[in-house]
Amino acid sequence: MLNTGLGLAELKNGYFFIVDRVIAGPQSWTYFVPFFLLPAALMMPPNKVSQKQLIQYFLLPIYACAGHAWYVMGCWDVVSLDGVLWATYLLALDDPRTHYRRVRFVPNRPMATPPQQVVAKTIPAMMHLEDNTVPENRTTPSATNGNGSKADGPKSSGTSRPRLQTATSYYIDDEPWPAPIYERLRWVLNLVSSDRLARWKTGNARHDAKQYNRTPTRRKFCLDLVPQLVTASLFISVATMLSRHDPYFKAPYLSSMTSSYTPPLSTPKTVQLIYSLLPAFAVRPLAIGFFGWALVTIEFALLAPPAVFLNYLTGLPPDNWSPHTLPPYFGSFKDGALDNGVRGLWGTFWHAHLQNMILAPGKVLARAIGVDKKNKQGKQHWLGYALPMTSAFIFSGVIHMGMVPRNPAFQVSNVGPWSLRWRIASVFWFQPVGVAFEMAMAKAIKSVVPKQYKNEKGQINEENVAIRTLFRTVRLGWVLTWLCCSAPFIALPFADLAFWSIPTPWFLPDTVKYWTGGYWLP
């Protein structure tokens, strides 16, 4: 009988082809060891195992295992380097066991935790309750008697069942490192998986104040994804269509980003229109930038709803891990780029999955030399901002170098893998230049603006609609200009790593039309 199935050898060869030539991945057992050592380290009692001992007995072996895994792979990858930096942050640069608090929303019930562990504030029913009535106002624990009800007035009508369609009050329970093994394991695993430290109090006042923010219901969360998905689909479709006609995208090594391009009459009218409105040197970097944002957005928008639906049906993943209880994947473009320029683009708008681990080395250095705090006049030494910012971009560049495998399979140029890695890293290492220029220009503009247009702190007052619109327009133009300056670094890696050949989501009309020889845009 003819066996048409894949054998073990074929599967093995296929796997190693992927992790060696398409996207770097595990090729030895040491790759996985750090992901077990980190939670094991955080399980150790702080009164028996000091932070120095954690570094000796856990962090150094993590470095050794990761180094061996990278040696076998011939490079590092994004996931394993993330794990190493996260372990460095949790074990060497901080000690969560001593002062971190897990923020839990405990249903209204007789107080089961010591008063010192319960924050003196309560909140209305959280996102997973999908409230349809006005929640009651609860008092703080100091205004309640022993059984959790008000000392005077009617008793609370809350319930301990978190999925009832009623208005329910919640205590905010700040859970420190617990002693019981099961609770400790749950605490540790939640921390290890929370790279953005959402629902965690770390002792940083600015971060901790955001952990009580009300987040949307499951229904609203999924509905909010619809416009993001539509916008990202449009951007990725247009960018992919441009890449199929402008030869620069597929072979950037043959010409420069500033080379001219005039679409022939046989190309879709949308391509002709775009190149008639903007020069080629502006179209190309904008297409690369919007494609990158759209790709990440679509990945999240397609994976998040199934996880939220399973959370509703089965409780798995738990609420603390469900996407609808976490901060938005991307921040507000208005609050980020339009109000703060390039600094806001990266610090507020772009996803913050790496933020804590890549900012930490710069913050530690700033604290060591005494420039991390503001003076009596409320001003901070410029190094107190520059060091964490530079640290973030340096490590972000190193992490993204892991996108390039040892021997890229779809390479169209003759440059080596390390050349591609340096180009990708340069996109991030170039950003401090733009931030420094932006801050210098902002200071110069503020110095020439008349006093009547400034507030009490000496900042330009943008409450006036005309002034705010003017400055936001200028910042938007500046951000797009800086994107045009940064994108050329990554144009060649995009081509050599076959980004333009990534199939767009199956539901996009562009995909259907592409395989039938046409295009969905005119």
Side-chain angles (χ1 to χ4, degrees):
M1 182 176 180
L2 181 64
N3 183 9
T4 58
L6 290 176
L8 183 61
E10 288 81 3
L11 291 174
K12 179 180 178 180
N13 293 335
Y15 171 79
F16 279 102
F17 174 82
I18 293 174
V19 298
D20 196 54
R21 304 202 61 191
V22 180
I23 180 170
Q27 299 184 32
S28 66
W29 63 271
T30 52
Y31 181 97
F32 302 98
V33 174
F35 298 103
F36 292 94
L37 287 179
L38 177 56
L42 294 173
M43 289 287 290
M44 299 295 106
N47 60 337
K48 294 182 179 180
V49 182
S50 66
Q51 185 179 19
K52 184 178 180 180
Q53 290 174 315
L54 290 184
I55 296 174
Q56 293 175 343
Y57 302 139
F58 291 93
L59 187 58
L60 293 183
I62 286 175
Y63 289 161
C65 291
H68 177 268
W70 297 341
Y71 174 77
V72 175
M73 293 163 57
C75 59
W76 62 83
D77 71 324
V78 174
V79 175
S80 62
L81 184 54
D82 278 356
V84 169
L85 291 176
W86 189 226
T88 303
Y89 175 81
L90 293 178
L91 301 182
L93 303 182
D94 208 342
D95 191 355
R97 302 172 301 165
T98 60
H99 61 279
Y100 275 30
R101 299 291 185 271
R102 178 187 173 201
V103 178
R104 298 189 305 167
F105 301 100
V106 184
N108 176 18
R109 52 176 170 73
M111 191 175 297
T113 53
Q116 64 269 20
Q117 293 185 16
V118 180
V119 180
K121 92 185 260 191
T122 56
I123 58 172
M126 292 305 295
M127 54 284 162
H128 55 278
L129 298 178
E130 310 206 4
D131 304 331
N132 50 21
T133 60
V134 179
E136 63 174 324
N137 295 320
R138 278 193 52 83
T139 59
T140 63
S142 59
T144 62
N145 52 30
N147 62 5
S149 61
K150 296 181 183 179
D152 296 308
K155 293 184 178 180
S156 170
S157 60
T159 177
S160 60
R161 296 186 61 189
R163 287 190 172 83
L164 289 179
Q165 303 276 335
T166 57
T168 306
S169 293
Y170 271 60
Y171 290 111
I172 297 177
D173 184 9
D174 293 344
E175 181 187 22
W177 188 89
I181 294 296
Y182 177 73
E183 295 181 8
R184 188 193 315 174
L185 179 62
R186 186 170 54 184
W187 191 93
V188 167
L189 291 179
N190 188 272
L191 173 61
V192 170
S193 63
S194 303
D195 53 3
R196 290 190 288 176
L197 294 176
R199 302 289 181 257
W200 284 89
K201 294 179 67 176
T202 65
N204 182 302
R206 184 177 179 182
H207 168 83
D208 294 351
K210 301 177 182 178
Q211 304 315 309
Y212 300 124
N213 292 344
R214 185 182 176 89
T215 51
T217 63
R218 294 185 186 87
R219 184 185 299 109
K220 187 176 187 305
F221 173 83
C222 293
L223 290 177
D224 288 345
L225 288 178
V226 174
Q228 298 178 34
L229 188 59
V230 171
T231 304
S233 301
L234 178 63
F235 282 158
I236 204 171
S237 298
V238 173
T240 303
M241 184 172 62
L242 293 175
S243 72
R244 291 171 183 157
H245 294 279
D246 188 341
Y248 173 82
F249 289 100
K250 293 296 181 63
Y253 57 93
L254 296 178
S255 61
S256 67
M257 187 167 283
T258 58
S259 59
S260 60
Y261 172 69
T262 302
L265 296 178
S266 59
T267 57
K269 294 180 181 179
T270 303
V271 176
Q272 299 180 43
L273 176 63
I274 291 175
Y275 280 97
S276 66
L277 296 175
L278 294 173
F281 69 83
V283 172
R284 292 160 177 165
L286 291 178
I288 292 173
F290 286 129
F291 181 91
W293 170 81
L295 189 62
V296 176
T297 299
I298 286 179
E299 290 175 356
F300 175 75
L302 292 180
L303 294 176
V308 173
F309 185 64
L310 286 175
N311 167 263
Y312 175 75
L313 288 180
T314 66
L316 294 175
D319 286 344
N320 284 337
W321 293 357
S322 181
H324 76 287
T325 67
L326 301 176
Y329 202 74
F330 283 92
S332 167
F333 186 79
K334 174 180 69 66
D335 296 338
L338 296 185
D339 287 346
N340 294 284
V342 173
R343 291 169 290 176
L345 176 71
W346 294 110
T348 302
F349 169 68
W350 202 251
H351 71 81
H353 277 285
L354 306 175
Q355 197 171 86
N356 290 299
M357 63 185 81
I358 61 181
L359 283 171
K363 290 182 177 179
V364 171
L365 183 57
R367 191 182 307 120
I369 63 178
V371 295
D372 60 318
K373 297 181 179 179
K374 296 181 179 180
N375 56 24
K376 295 181 180 179
Q377 289 74 33
K379 296 182 179 180
Q380 187 180 26
H381 194 281
W382 66 274
L383 281 175
Y385 176 82
L387 289 176
M389 182 264 296
T390 305
S391 168
F393 285 122
I394 288 177
F395 282 102
S396 187
V398 174
I399 289 173
H400 285 83
M401 291 171 74
M403 296 168 58
V404 182
R406 173 161 43 192
N407 185 20
F410 308 106
Q411 194 167 356
V412 295
S413 70
N414 57 359
V415 303
W418 276 104
S419 177
L420 298 178
R421 294 185 185 110
W422 292 123
R423 290 170 184 265
I424 293 175
S426 297
V427 175
F428 299 93
W429 296 346
F430 190 48
Q431 298 309 307
V433 178
V435 172
F437 177 79
E438 179 178 274
M439 294 178 67
M441 291 301 298
K443 186 175 182 179
I445 293 174
K446 187 173 67 174
S447 65
V448 299
V449 171
K451 291 184 178 180
Q452 59 264 33
Y453 297 107
K454 297 181 181 179
N455 56 27
E456 297 177 353
K457 297 182 178 180
Q459 303 295 328
I460 298 176
N461 191 347
E462 296 187 25
E463 293 182 1
N464 182 278
V465 176
I467 295 178
R468 182 169 63 250
T469 302
L470 173 63
F471 275 95
R472 284 181 173 176
T473 303
V474 171
R475 293 191 190 104
L476 176 62
W478 154 243
V479 168
L480 295 178
T481 301
W482 184 248
L483 178 61
C484 292
C485 296
S486 305
F489 290 110
I490 206 172
L492 186 58
F494 257 53
D496 277 359
L497 297 178
F499 271 77
W500 300 117
S501 300
I502 295 177
T504 50
W506 63 269
F507 57 85
L508 293 183
D510 180 52
T511 304
V512 178
K513 294 290 185 180
Y514 172 67
W515 292 115
T516 58
Y519 297 93
W520 70 278
L521 290 172

